[in-house]
Amino acid sequence: MSAASEHVHIDKAAMRRAVASSVIGNAFEWFDFLIYGFFTGLIAKAFFPADDVFVATLLATATFAISYLVRPFGGVLLGLYADRVGRKPALTLMILMMGVSTLLIGATPPYVAIGIAAPILIVLARVLQGLSVGGEFASATAMLVEYAPPGRKMLFGSLQMCSQALAISVAALFGFGLSALLAPSDLESWGWRIPFLLGVLIAPVGFYIRRKVQESPSFVKARQGEQLTFKQLLTRHYGALVAGLGVCVVGTVSNYLWFIYMPLFVVQQLGLPFSDALLGSFICGAILFLLCPAAGWLADRFGARRVLCTGAVVFGLMSYPLFAWVVAAPDLPRLLTAQISIAIVISLIWGPTPGMMAGLFPTGVRSTGMAISYNFGVLLFGGLAPLTMTSLVGLTGSKLVPAYYIMFCAALALALIAFGTTRRPVAGTP
């Protein structure tokens, strides 16, 4: 069954609950996940003490990357679970895993109090977060797209990115507010824990909402037909996996370099206050929250591939001059101008991404297929990005390394999408 032919009758009340459960739960998961990236520098001091700040930061960014190493495993396992058992139980399990891992990060005593146990607990928490988020995007997107009316799948899918943009904005707002209200010593010793502990309180709300949602009608219908094995997914839909990887490469780089890595880059390389970078991330998150649905609507009208690839080309071309302009004379107005300009372009990438990826795979293997493409893309070009950028900037001394990286990834993404979308599913595929 293809994405285009899977139309079933959808109850509007059930549709609203499905949208709410996917968007609210996904925003909570990403808030908890992103807040670690924003506070990497402070977490490095608390749990990875070292005489050299550069070494401590590398240890913290390596821990940030660990969660991405396990994400493909979580994505495949939870994707298979969602494709075999259902979207609803998979999404419910994920939000519980995220709540436990967030509590671990927020409540673990520092290295000076419990020694080596502190970084071990942080690594364990990041592994749990990685497993949970590894399946979140695919299953939440599948639920949204499968509940969408005909001709509005890109718009409904864009709500997934709205929730991520909301998470970026709220997480950055927390960081900006705490850095403005608290003394640096207080923020370093205990203030950074506040958003993690508050994030735990949201977990019961997300769990309750997801328990109330009904299973996707498309999934219920697809379960009555032929069930593809994991091996058949890899052999029959390899083109879709490659195209999905390309979509994720450009979306991932835009997120992790311009929003998550940026606070660390701004402080260490540009010498600007931590609050400056967080203010830019907050504003950009709000912009993306507003513009992603517009991009989803454009994708429904003109085609997802056309809108996304246009955004990828402009994104790659704009990144170098914007980075060079900010690096030449670092200050808050330049930083905000660059971040806001690029956020408008990124909306053209983010808006079509969920719907386009969902449309690459039939319902019966949709969660697993998206999880594979998404998590390998995020692992290679997102999770390792802060570690890669910190290392390359330190080794080369060039502050424009992130811009070169973005240009390379944008070109690679376009090539993968072009290659993958010309490979049709193997004959006989349902």
Side-chain angles (χ1 to χ4, degrees):
M1 182 186 302
S2 68
S5 61
E6 66 180 18
H7 178 54
V8 295
H9 174 72
I10 297 174
D11 177 75
K12 290 187 177 181
M15 179 179 68
R16 288 192 292 268
R17 287 193 295 270
V19 170
S21 70
S22 297
V23 172
I24 295 174
N26 188 64
F28 161 69
E29 289 238 10
W30 278 99
F31 170 82
D32 286 348
F33 197 74
L34 292 170
I35 204 71
Y36 185 98
F38 287 147
F39 287 104
T40 296
L42 298 179
I43 291 173
K45 295 179 181 179
F47 299 110
F48 304 95
D51 295 333
D52 189 332
V53 175
F54 176 70
V55 173
T57 303
L58 275 181
L59 292 173
T61 53
T63 304
F64 183 80
I66 283 174
S67 65
Y68 291 86
L69 295 176
V70 301
R71 280 179 68 157
F73 299 101
V76 170
L77 292 176
L78 291 170
L80 288 170
Y81 183 65
D83 284 334
R84 296 292 184 270
V85 181
R87 318 302 193 207
K88 173 182 174 178
L91 290 169
T92 303
L93 174 61
M94 290 174 215
I95 206 165
L96 289 176
M97 292 171 63
M98 182 58 72
V100 171
S101 60
T102 303
L103 177 62
L104 268 179
I105 296 177
T108 297
Y111 183 90
V112 295
I114 60 174
I116 193 64
I120 290 176
L121 288 174
I122 296 302
V123 170
L124 174 62
R126 290 297 292 172
V127 168
L128 282 175
Q129 282 191 333
L131 292 173
S132 174
V133 175
E136 175 67 27
F137 175 86
S139 295
T141 297
M143 181 73 84
L144 280 171
V145 172
E146 288 165 10
Y147 263 104
R152 300 177 66 188
K153 293 187 179 298
M154 299 299 153
L155 175 60
F156 270 58
S158 71
L159 298 178
Q160 161 79 299
M161 305 312 297
C162 283
S163 66
Q164 290 193 27
L166 179 63
I168 291 174
S169 192
V170 174
L173 181 61
F174 263 98
F176 178 78
L178 289 172
S179 62
L181 295 173
L182 297 178
S185 59
D186 291 334
L187 182 64
E188 181 178 323
S189 62
W190 57 268
W192 65 267
R193 296 178 183 271
I194 293 176
F196 289 98
L197 297 176
L198 289 177
V200 175
L201 299 178
I202 305 173
V205 178
F207 176 78
Y208 174 80
I209 293 173
R210 287 190 167 175
R211 290 286 293 174
K212 292 294 182 180
V213 74
Q214 296 179 19
E215 189 53 81
S216 158
S218 297
F219 169 78
V220 174
K221 184 177 180 180
R223 189 160 51 180
Q224 300 170 0
E226 178 187 352
Q227 297 293 308
L228 292 181
T229 65
F230 181 68
K231 181 179 179 180
Q232 288 172 325
L233 167 64
L234 298 180
T235 56
R236 296 184 183 184
H237 292 280
Y238 71 93
L241 293 170
V242 172
L245 177 63
V247 172
C248 289
V249 167
V250 67
T252 294
V253 169
S254 66
N255 185 10
Y256 288 89
L257 282 188
W258 271 105
F259 303 126
I260 298 177
Y261 172 68
M262 188 59 70
L264 190 63
F265 179 81
V266 164
V267 173
Q268 293 192 347
Q269 304 301 327
L270 303 184
L272 296 176
F274 180 60
S275 58
D276 284 3
L278 292 179
L279 176 61
S281 294
F282 165 71
I283 294 173
C284 291
I287 291 172
L288 286 165
F289 179 79
L290 295 174
L291 293 185
C292 279
W297 178 84
L298 288 173
D300 278 323
R301 185 173 177 84
F302 299 106
R305 181 179 174 183
R306 182 175 298 174
V307 174
L308 186 143
C309 290
T310 299
V313 170
V314 178
F315 175 61
L317 294 176
M318 285 181 61
S319 290
Y320 178 83
L322 286 177
F323 257 101
W325 184 59
V326 173
V327 168
D331 60 20
L332 180 58
R334 285 198 176 206
L335 179 63
L336 290 180
T337 300
Q339 287 186 296
I340 292 171
S341 300
I342 209 69
I344 295 172
V345 176
I346 289 173
S347 68
L348 297 175
I349 299 170
W350 283 24
T353 288
M356 181 174 174
M357 290 192 65
L360 292 170
F361 302 95
T363 307
V365 291
R366 179 166 291 145
S367 287
T368 310
M370 281 195 293
I372 294 172
S373 295
Y374 179 75
N375 286 298
F376 275 102
V378 171
L379 165 63
L380 297 175
F381 300 94
L384 298 178
L387 179 61
T388 302
M389 293 302 98
T390 301
S391 302
L392 289 178
V393 171
L395 291 173
T396 65
S398 173
K399 297 177 181 179
L400 294 177
V401 165
Y404 300 133
Y405 187 75
I406 288 172
M407 294 167 64
F408 165 76
C409 290
L412 176 63
L414 293 170
L416 291 174
I417 293 171
F419 173 84
T421 51
T422 59
R423 267 53 181 182
R424 301 299 181 189
V426 174
T429 298

